Amino acid sequence: MQNLLKWDYAHRGLHDKSAGIPENSLAAFKAACDSGYGAELDVHLLKDNSLAVIHDSSLLRTTGKDGNAEDLTHSELKNYFLEGTTETIPAFEDVLSIFEGHAPLIIELKTSGKNTAQLCKAVCEVLDNYKGVFCIESFDPRCLRWLRRHRPHFLRGQLSQNFIKRPSGFGKIVDFLLTLLVPNIFTRPDFIAYHHSDTKDFGFRLATKLFKKQGVVWTVTKRSDYEKAKKEKYMVIFEGFKP
């Protein structure tokens, strides 16, 4: 954790649409690493059990094509161009190769349906041979539970926010439990990654102040919010400016 605390993290890489550098692209990750930042990235499990880095399961927003990431194969990634550029959806291993030995990563696991265990296993088998610094996070508590059982030495974090203000779509009871971080009882995360505007919420304060879990804030887009987060000694995931 001390190695991770020394860095700031570019959200989906150091992307800049005006400069033709799309989010979660190899160009964005190279820019982050070259600028002295770590990066946050999103990983999906593909149809052939390989791994790709893209935020949405739906491909429409980022590539303009219909379909879901989970229905692709590794060889098909080169056919999906990001945000009208020549950048394609990167494989997980290709992103790792940029950062290994240079800067740390915050790796978010994006589950779909019932693929939690399969996704976790595939990601961890790649990371078992990775020599860089990293931690893993997810909104899905099932991922953290899997990691606690099968890779207890990997740093794991619970992603959350105030779902009462921003409903998840899974119902009021689920939103209440996730906002208060109740699943922590079973998953025992090493850190809590929480929406930067919700850090005064009871669940986050309880976890970080009483139980001394490391706080991570996302996604900070203003320098003033960045300075506030650093004063609280939170790790910062940023976007839209350079700290």
Side-chain angles (χ1 to χ4, degrees):
M1 186 65 76
Q2 290 302 315
N3 288 333
L4 291 163
L5 283 168
K6 299 173 185 176
W7 299 78
D8 294 319
Y9 297 84
H11 186 232
R12 308 176 194 172
L14 198 63
H15 57 93
D16 183 351
K17 196 169 185 177
S18 65
I21 303 176
E23 67 176 54
N24 274 326
S25 66
L26 289 181
F29 293 123
K30 288 176 182 176
C33 192
D34 290 345
S35 298
Y37 301 117
E40 179 269 354
L41 58 86
D42 311 278
V43 183
H44 286 259
L45 183 72
L46 304 186
K47 183 168 61 176
D48 59 359
N49 209 46
S50 63
L51 299 162
V53 175
I54 188 170
H55 182 267
D56 307 343
S57 179
S58 169
L59 301 168
L60 190 60
R61 179 182 68 86
T62 51
T63 71
K65 292 185 178 182
D66 289 325
N68 294 322
E70 286 75 18
D71 296 325
L72 298 181
T73 63
H74 180 273
S75 63
E76 292 173 326
L77 295 179
K78 65 181 182 296
N79 300 323
Y80 288 81
F81 297 95
L82 298 170
E83 299 177 15
T85 70
T86 57
E87 292 287 323
T88 56
I89 301 173
F92 181 46
E93 292 87 344
D94 291 338
V95 178
L96 292 180
S97 67
I98 293 172
F99 288 91
E100 189 168 18
H102 298 289
L105 289 169
I106 299 176
I107 300 165
E108 180 180 345
L109 304 185
K110 292 285 192 178
T111 58
S112 178
K114 298 180 180 180
N115 77 349
T116 302
Q118 191 178 1
L119 170 64
C120 291
K121 185 173 185 291
V123 169
C124 288
E125 286 179 349
V126 173
L127 292 173
D128 284 340
N129 298 312
Y130 181 60
K131 304 303 181 184
V133 178
F134 68 91
C135 61
I136 303 176
E137 65 179 13
S138 183
F139 280 104
D140 192 337
R142 295 173 300 177
C143 288
L144 274 71
R145 188 180 181 191
W146 191 97
L147 290 167
R148 185 186 177 196
R149 289 180 175 179
H150 300 281
R151 295 295 191 285
H153 57 292
F154 282 5
L155 285 172
R156 59 188 182 275
Q158 181 63 57
L159 262 168
S160 195
Q161 61 178 357
N162 190 322
F163 285 109
I164 298 170
K165 292 192 297 186
R166 307 177 199 86
S168 66
F170 291 105
K172 292 182 179 180
I173 294 176
V174 172
D175 287 345
F176 177 78
L177 295 175
L178 293 177
T179 299
L180 287 180
L181 299 168
V182 173
N184 289 4
I185 297 170
F186 308 102
T187 59
R188 303 294 176 87
D190 300 296
F191 65 93
I192 309 297
Y194 217 71
H195 194 286
H196 75 92
S197 66
D198 298 332
T199 54
K200 292 184 179 180
D201 286 3
F202 176 76
F204 180 78
R205 301 290 287 184
L206 184 69
T208 57
K209 302 304 179 184
L210 181 62
F211 291 103
K212 305 299 181 182
K213 301 298 182 182
Q214 177 60 47
V216 180
V217 291
W218 59 272
T219 298
V220 174
T221 59
K222 296 180 180 178
R223 191 170 298 277
S224 58
D225 291 330
Y226 171 82
E227 297 296 341
K228 290 177 184 177
K230 298 301 281 189
K231 286 180 180 179
E232 293 284 351
K233 302 189 184 304
Y234 298 144
M235 287 166 53
V236 177
I237 298 173
F238 70 91
E239 183 179 85
F241 73 103
K242 290 184 178 181

